[in-house]
Amino acid sequence: RSKLDGRGTFRFFEPAMDARMQARRQLELDMRHALARREFQLHYQPQMSLASNRLVGCEALIRWRHPERGTVSPLDFIPLAEEIGLIVPIGEWVIRQTCRDAMRWPQPLSVAVNVSPAQFKSDRLVETIVSALSNSGLPAGRLEVEITEGVLLQENDRTLQTLHRLRELGVRVSMDDFGTGYSSLSYLRSFPFDKIKIDRSFVQDMSHKPDGEAIIRAIAGLGKSLGMTTVAEGVETPDQIERIRAEGCTDVQGYLISKPLPADELMTLLAPR
Ligand code: C2E
Ligand code: MG
Ligand code: MG
Ligand code: MG
């Protein structure tokens, strides 16, 4: 927003905006050192199969322990990391650390990493995954890559080639936050995903809106016809889980099962009793 100041000239930066930009610039500077300073951490959120009521996998979710600001949400720094290109080294760390951590689990659960659009386009993704798998010894079949439709937005031959190369390695590919974008359905046509993750907004709507189950039912049916696993995200109540089960989803993830846990707490959860 701009406004005329007393002398009749435009002032483009109001003090509040200036402060916001300064805060942003500082966050950017801090982020450039965060990897070397080991301020990033991965939490893992379990996913449960509704057929067996057993844990089948976990999703790796990054956390930034900022020395002054405390924990910064990925929703606040991932977009910035994308903009300034830092997402490539950060994403690479996520992939390597995830593979190492998953190798130590007492059960061979699958593990999912989120890959954002800029990282996906970076040439290095497939190489990074190949080397992370071989360095850690994690079988490719245990690794899953979650992408949002942002990756397919400027769909081109290279995007599809990357997806197919991952698939050839044996890595599975999931469509994250399904249903929230502009044309989720058409993206399902461009690549045979292994898994659809139903955005948690639909799970939440289920309890508040009449016919709220209709969308979950439709996506579960779609997944079934296409041979894809369907995971409902953000399940928080026993009522939601029963309704999701009734609508035919295969898996669930959410606070009801477990919050995202630091690596050592996950180990405790998975330890044989
Ligand atoms: P996402 O991939 O859709 O991850 C699910 C988000 O929902 C996580 O938020 C998780 O903590 C949250 N969640 C899980 N269960 C529940 C629940 O029952 N209720 C509620 N209210 N929330 C639940 P988080 O960890 O803050 O991550 C937010 C987003 O940041 C992720 O959304 C993903 O898009 C991005 N992200 C996280 N880690 C990474 C990463 O390593 N790389 C990239 N590129 N993106 C990441
Ligand atoms: Mg995800
Ligand atoms: Mg999601
Ligand atoms: Mg999301």
Side-chain angles (χ1 to χ4, degrees), residues 146 176-177 197 199 233:
E146 294 191 4
D176 203 355
D177 302 346
K197 299 192 76 180
D199 192 72
E233 295 193 274

Side-chain angles (χ1 to χ4, degrees), residues 59 114 146 148 175-178 197-200 233 253:
E59 175 176 8
N114 291 284
E146 294 191 4
T148 54
M175 170 104 283
D176 203 355
D177 302 346
F178 186 79
K197 299 192 76 180
I198 305 174
D199 192 72
R200 77 163 179 268
E233 295 193 274
Q253 178 179 349

Side-chain angles (χ1 to χ4, degrees), residues 203 232-237 240-241 244 252-257:
V203 174
E233 295 193 274
V235 177
E236 295 179 355
T237 69
Q240 284 170 341
I241 214 173
I244 284 162
V252 287
Q253 178 179 349
Y255 295 166
L256 182 68
I257 315 303

Side-chain angles (χ1 to χ4, degrees), residues 42 45 59-63 73-75 78 82 87 90-91 94 113-117 119 146 148 176-177 197 199-200 204 233-236 253-256 258-260:
L42 291 177
Q45 188 176 35
E59 175 176 8
L61 295 159
I62 196 169
R63 300 289 178 259
S73 161
L75 295 174
I78 293 288
E82 284 241 318
I87 193 65
I90 294 174
V94 169
V113 290
N114 291 284
V115 173
S116 55
Q119 191 187 355
E146 294 191 4
T148 54
D176 203 355
D177 302 346
K197 299 192 76 180
D199 192 72
R200 77 163 179 268
Q204 273 152 10
E233 295 193 274
V235 177
E236 295 179 355
Q253 178 179 349
Y255 295 166
L256 182 68
S258 167
K259 293 211 165 188

Side-chain angles (χ1 to χ4, degrees), residues 24-202:
R24 198 191 115 111
R25 205 164 303 134
Q26 188 58 50
L27 198 65
E28 204 179 301
L29 283 174
D30 294 346
M31 211 191 313
R32 294 191 188 279
H33 301 291
L35 262 182
R37 293 178 181 159
R38 299 171 180 269
E39 291 169 359
F40 292 118
Q41 212 184 42
L42 291 177
H43 283 197
Y44 294 94
Q45 188 176 35
Q47 301 168 337
M48 188 186 85
S49 152
L50 287 172
S52 65
N53 282 336
R54 284 171 185 277
L55 301 188
V56 286
C58 292
E59 175 176 8
L61 295 159
I62 196 169
R63 300 289 178 259
W64 180 10
R65 290 290 163 79
H66 190 284
E68 286 117 39
R69 298 180 194 219
T71 303
V72 186
S73 161
L75 295 174
D76 294 326
F77 72 86
I78 293 288
L80 187 57
E82 284 241 318
E83 247 177 76
I84 62 180
L86 273 182
I87 193 65
V88 174
I90 294 174
E92 189 165 331
W93 175 82
V94 169
I95 291 167
R96 293 187 185 283
Q97 189 63 40
T98 296
C99 291
R100 280 196 295 265
D101 284 346
M103 266 312 274
R104 299 173 48 231
W105 298 346
Q107 302 164 37
L109 306 185
S110 67
V111 67
V113 290
N114 291 284
V115 173
S116 55
Q119 191 187 355
F120 199 87
K121 287 188 190 73
S122 82
D123 294 338
R124 270 160 63 180
L125 181 68
V126 176
E127 268 174 76
T128 300
I129 289 179
V130 167
S131 108
L133 289 171
S134 83
N135 289 343
S136 64
L138 189 77
R142 285 183 57 194
L143 184 66
E144 220 172 272
V145 164
E146 294 191 4
I147 62 171
T148 54
E149 63 171 48
V151 167
L152 293 167
L153 215 54
Q154 304 129 321
E155 178 195 323
N156 55 36
D157 288 349
R158 245 198 42 214
T159 315
L160 290 180
Q161 201 188 357
T162 302
L163 286 171
H164 285 289
R165 282 174 70 199
L166 291 176
R167 174 61 60 71
E168 281 156 22
L169 289 174
V171 171
R172 280 174 294 162
V173 184
S174 307
M175 170 104 283
D176 203 355
D177 302 346
F178 186 79
T180 53
Y182 291 109
S183 51
S184 298
L185 278 180
S186 73
Y187 292 122
L188 282 187
R189 205 173 41 185
S190 42
F191 183 77
F193 290 91
D194 296 281
K195 190 185 267 191
I196 301 173
K197 299 192 76 180
I198 305 174
D199 192 72
R200 77 163 179 268
S201 58
F202 298 111

